[in-house]
Amino acid sequence: MKNYKLAIVGATGVVGQKMIEVLHEKNLPISEYVFFASSRSAGKSLRFGDDVYVVNELTEDSLTHNFDFALFSAGSDTSLKFSPIAVQNGCIVIDNSSAFRMDDNVPLVVPEVNPDDINWNKGIIANPNCSTIQAVCALKPLDDSFGIKRIVYSTYQAVSGAGSKGIHDLENGIKDYCFNLDDDFDFSKENQSCFFEKDNNPNNCNLELDEKTNYKLEKFPYPIFNNCLPHIDTFLENGYTKEEEKMINETRKILGKPDIAITATTVRVPVFNSHCESINIEFEKSFNLEEVFRVLKNAPGIIVQDEPNNDLYAIPTNVSGKDEVFVSRIRRDFSIKNGLNIWVVADNIRKGAASNAVQILEKLIK
Amino acid sequence: MKNYKLAIVGATGVVGQKMIEVLHEKNLPISEYVFFASSRSAGKSLRFGDDVYVVNELTEDSLTHNFDFALFSAGSDTSLKFSPIAVQNGCIVIDNSSAFRMDDNVPLVVPEVNPDDINWNKGIIANPNCSTIQAVCALKPLDDSFGIKRIVYSTYQAVSGAGSKGIHDLENGIKDYCFNLDDDFDFSKENQSCFFEKDNNPNNCNLELDEKTNYKLEKFPYPIFNNCLPHIDTFLENGYTKEEEKMINETRKILGKPDIAITATTVRVPVFNSHCESINIEFEKSFNLEEVFRVLKNAPGIIVQDEPNNDLYAIPTNVSGKDEVFVSRIRRDFSIKNGLNIWVVADNIRKGAASNAVQILEKLIK
């Protein structure tokens, strides 16, 4: 059995870090790991299990040294510049950026959905957008059984999807709020006083927080703490965001169905990790709900968590850290023939990025 | 000009408090205000402008004393028990609970949408669900112009909609997070350290927060801090929540169109105040986007805030404290003939509850 040599490009980012963590968990037949990042992060130390690795600066020479595989997660510009060099030198690139996703010469792969597309790769395999990955995991088995005609996506996306700067914005917002509290966080007190209480009036609640922030926003145009921002990635001419466009185009490509009607509204919410999606589906065929439950329960990588009577449904804090895609709130949409509503939650950094890329690598090795 | 006598039932709650605030702003021709609450809150003092009022305990005798109007916001049980007494004694009740909303003998009113329904009241006028009010303000002018065929709602609802216990759950979650931070919230530091940094590794981010909470949840079955809960009000047999059912039924009743096809997914998000809604609409008639913008800009109580090029769109922190309904992200849904997506934000305690009720009162007085 061959032992492979693997490069991780963008190793110090939120996704790169998680790739390293997932690689350590998987214990693949890899004999050599080399971690790359920009000059800004080069020289930093990264843990890999009990070992400590020093991060190398990514240069034009870096990927010419007999790598079998490279996992890229350093943005589109880095992928566009450095992945051709890797490919020319015999390396297969699994790219987490959006650079090649819609390229007809590049397969866009979710291993549970279209594993065979890996086979026609010409050196680059694209890892889909996080929101798309979790959606198609749930949609593929339903499409196979009932034929999807139309999808309406509304997303609830965590800040980790925006990288460490997004995480900092939420964290600084939380700290700023606490810093401005009058009391001293004494949880031993019998009755917590309300921040909103003012004028010595125990019920005069001020629900409007001061708009000023005492911290610098690193990522988002507005505070994400205590807010919902209907704005992920940049705006396009037609009023959609790139994130919405990605969900529409990537879903079609991965399902291999360019004609599925899809629309999307993508929204950032003040959650650290794990994306949620409210998905409304119209099928070609009729169905009964028992079939839908059975199809989803038997689908690879899916956990059905849907017991309304026990208040059991998927939520970000319970899904973070897991590789499966969780499906809840499965119910008929009575407003249309063959309509269904589902609620889909997944760890956007694991299944939405790092784990999916490592699963592709696993398939390549096997 | 007559000076009226007004009762406020549930005066110490989040909505009751806001009713008092809005009443003070409006300065209506009311000569006597009497505040009622349960025995638990009776005796408390409430501010009304510069005056301080003592809250009375609500008893079966309370509303027999020549009140012209009563604003109820104390839950369905209180409304069911005490509003008939008020009506028998010549008082008109504006009820914020869900008790009478779908009663065929009770008008369900949003003043910008169906003001004339006030006229056929038989003593009780119902104030709609918060999520419904803001939706129909945006939908009514569009329905008048293009005829709504179907609506898909996905909501992003603030904790204030769940009352003071909901607010406490979010606040205690935030405090608990800060309380467990290692550092001392020093915002003078040049580089904020990341809560997720561990193992002395500046990039080893742990995105999974501890599931344990050091505080008692007062309202929600799970922490709402750092979470999205697809569960508002109780679950019904068909898998929908009562909140979702309310949005469906109340929208139809207020628009006077029992045949509009509607489905809904309602979700609680970690935001203190102001609900957001992703609304997907299918119209009967064709439209062009310029018409949609014009129709919405000319609609009463609507502010169109939609300049993607300037990153301008409605968000909870900017809408809280305002009475208008904000509409953003207005764009064609290319997945269907005559489809439109919009993003609707409003202060759920003001326009979604208190302000709408006081606006009904204003209409009654005029």
Side-chain angles (χ1 to χ4, degrees), chain A residues 27-323:
Chain A
N27 195 23
L28 301 175
I30 292 165
S31 53
E32 196 177 345
Y33 294 89
V34 186
F35 299 153
F36 295 103
S38 67
S39 56
R40 196 168 40 83
S41 296
K44 281 187 179 173
S45 299
L46 289 179
R47 256 178 208 286
F48 184 74
D50 291 335
D51 301 326
V52 173
Y53 285 68
V54 174
V55 177
N56 300 285
E57 182 181 350
L58 183 68
T59 67
E60 294 189 13
D61 184 51
S62 299
L63 298 170
T64 60
H65 302 290
N66 300 317
F67 284 101
D68 296 291
F69 305 109
L71 299 177
F72 271 69
S73 187
S76 288
D77 290 346
T78 303
S79 294
L80 287 166
K81 183 171 177 188
F82 293 96
S83 59
I85 301 173
V87 173
Q88 275 162 27
N89 285 276
C91 174
I92 296 180
V93 170
I94 301 166
D95 180 33
N96 191 49
S97 83
S98 62
F100 302 105
R101 285 181 193 154
M102 294 311 297
D103 186 328
D104 286 341
N105 290 307
V106 175
L108 182 65
V109 176
V110 178
E112 293 89 340
V113 177
N114 59 338
D116 295 343
D117 282 340
I118 292 174
N119 302 330
W120 58 265
N121 85 78
K122 296 168 183 172
I124 300 175
I125 298 165
N127 206 43
N129 173 268
C130 47
S131 314
T132 311
I133 290 175
Q134 69 185 73
V136 295
C137 282
L139 293 172
K140 170 67 173 170
L142 296 173
D143 184 47
D144 287 346
S145 298
F146 313 112
I148 293 176
K149 194 170 164 187
R150 181 172 177 241
I151 302 165
V152 180
Y153 286 130
S154 291
T155 69
Y156 305 68
Q157 295 183 228
V159 296
S160 60
S164 58
K165 289 179 178 176
I167 295 170
H168 289 165
D169 274 2
L170 176 53
E171 186 172 54
N172 287 334
I174 296 168
K175 287 179 182 173
D176 187 45
Y177 174 88
C178 286
F179 193 62
N180 288 304
L181 284 172
D182 292 329
D183 67 15
D184 54 1
F185 316 129
D186 184 356
F187 277 92
S188 62
K189 281 193 295 186
E190 263 292 299
N191 292 302
Q192 278 296 309
S193 72
C194 172
F195 176 53
F196 297 111
E197 291 160 12
K198 57 177 191 181
D199 301 336
N200 294 321
N201 184 334
N203 284 289
N204 192 359
C205 282
N206 177 16
L207 291 166
E208 296 125 44
L209 294 180
D210 199 333
E211 282 180 30
K212 291 194 310 279
T213 57
N214 298 308
Y215 57 99
K216 196 174 167 299
L217 293 173
E218 296 180 23
K219 181 71 187 178
F220 305 116
Y222 303 98
I224 182 62
F225 170 72
N226 189 36
N227 244 345
C228 294
L229 309 181
H231 173 194
I232 301 183
D233 209 327
T234 53
F235 282 104
L236 303 167
E237 271 295 310
N238 62 6
Y240 282 77
T241 59
K242 272 195 189 170
E243 182 81 358
E244 288 156 357
E245 187 186 56
K246 283 179 211 167
M247 285 197 79
I248 294 169
N249 293 339
E250 294 181 22
T251 297
R252 289 176 179 148
K253 180 169 177 175
I254 298 165
L255 294 180
K257 296 210 163 173
D259 296 329
I260 292 183
I262 312 177
T263 192
T265 300
T266 60
V267 180
R268 191 77 69 188
V269 295
V271 165
F272 280 112
N273 196 50
S274 290
H275 290 350
C276 305
E277 299 175 345
S278 164
I279 309 184
N280 177 264
I281 313 161
E282 183 182 359
F283 292 110
E284 301 280 358
K285 297 181 197 165
S286 65
F287 63 88
N288 66 54
L289 268 187
E290 292 69 31
E291 285 178 274
V292 169
F293 272 87
R294 194 175 58 245
V295 162
L296 287 170
K297 279 179 180 166
N298 291 332
I302 293 284
I303 292 180
V304 172
Q305 194 168 61
D306 195 11
E307 298 175 30
N309 292 338
N310 297 319
D311 287 348
L312 191 64
Y313 38 76
I315 57 175
T317 52
N318 289 346
V319 168
S320 286
K322 305 200 171 76
D323 279 336

Side-chain angles (χ1 to χ4, degrees), chain B residues 166-236:
Chain B
I167 295 169
H168 289 167
D169 274 1
L170 177 54
E171 186 172 56
N172 287 334
I174 295 168
K175 287 179 182 174
D176 186 45
Y177 174 89
C178 286
F179 194 62
N180 288 305
L181 285 171
D182 291 330
D183 65 18
D184 54 1
F185 316 130
D186 185 355
F187 276 92
S188 63
K189 280 191 296 186
E190 264 292 298
N191 292 304
Q192 278 295 309
S193 71
C194 173
F195 176 53
F196 297 112
E197 289 160 12
K198 59 178 189 180
D199 300 337
N200 294 322
N201 183 334
N203 284 290
N204 192 358
C205 282
N206 176 17
L207 291 166
E208 297 126 45
L209 295 179
D210 199 332
E211 282 180 29
K212 291 195 309 280
T213 56
N214 298 309
Y215 58 98
K216 196 173 167 297
L217 293 173
E218 296 181 22
K219 180 72 187 177
F220 305 116
Y222 303 98
I224 182 62
F225 171 71
N226 190 35
N227 245 345
C228 293
L229 309 181
H231 173 193
I232 300 183
D233 209 328
T234 52
F235 282 104
L236 304 166

Side-chain angles (χ1 to χ4, degrees), chain B residues 76-184:
Chain B
S76 288
D77 291 345
T78 302
S79 294
L80 287 167
K81 183 171 177 190
F82 293 97
S83 59
I85 300 174
V87 172
Q88 276 162 27
N89 285 276
C91 173
I92 296 179
V93 170
I94 301 166
D95 181 33
N96 192 50
S97 83
S98 62
F100 302 104
R101 286 182 192 153
M102 294 312 296
D103 186 327
D104 286 342
N105 289 308
V106 174
L108 183 65
V109 176
V110 178
E112 294 88 339
V113 176
N114 60 338
D116 295 343
D117 283 341
I118 292 174
N119 302 330
W120 57 264
N121 85 77
K122 296 169 184 172
I124 300 175
I125 298 165
N127 206 41
N129 174 268
C130 46
S131 313
T132 310
I133 290 176
Q134 68 186 73
V136 296
C137 282
L139 293 172
K140 169 66 174 170
L142 297 172
D143 184 47
D144 287 346
S145 298
F146 313 113
I148 293 176
K149 194 170 162 185
R150 181 172 176 243
I151 302 165
V152 180
Y153 286 130
S154 291
T155 69
Y156 304 68
Q157 296 184 226
V159 296
S160 60
S164 59
K165 288 181 179 175
I167 295 169
H168 289 167
D169 274 1
L170 177 54
E171 186 172 56
N172 287 334
I174 295 168
K175 287 179 182 174
D176 186 45
Y177 174 89
C178 286
F179 194 62
N180 288 305
L181 285 171
D182 291 330
D183 65 18
D184 54 1

Side-chain angles (χ1 to χ4, degrees), chain B residues 264-333:
Chain B
T265 299
T266 60
V267 181
R268 190 77 66 189
V269 294
V271 166
F272 280 113
N273 196 51
S274 290
H275 291 349
C276 304
E277 299 175 346
S278 164
I279 309 184
N280 178 265
I281 312 161
E282 183 183 359
F283 293 111
E284 301 281 358
K285 297 180 196 165
S286 64
F287 63 87
N288 67 54
L289 268 187
E290 291 69 33
E291 286 177 273
V292 169
F293 273 86
R294 195 176 57 244
V295 162
L296 286 170
K297 279 179 180 167
N298 291 331
I302 293 285
I303 292 180
V304 171
Q305 194 169 60
D306 194 10
E307 298 174 30
N309 291 337
N310 297 320
D311 288 347
L312 190 65
Y313 37 77
I315 57 174
T317 53
N318 289 346
V319 168
S320 286
K322 303 197 172 76
D323 279 336
E324 293 87 358
V325 172
F326 288 68
V327 186
S328 309
R329 304 293 325 276
I330 301 163
R331 61 208 194 283
R332 186 174 291 280
D333 165 6

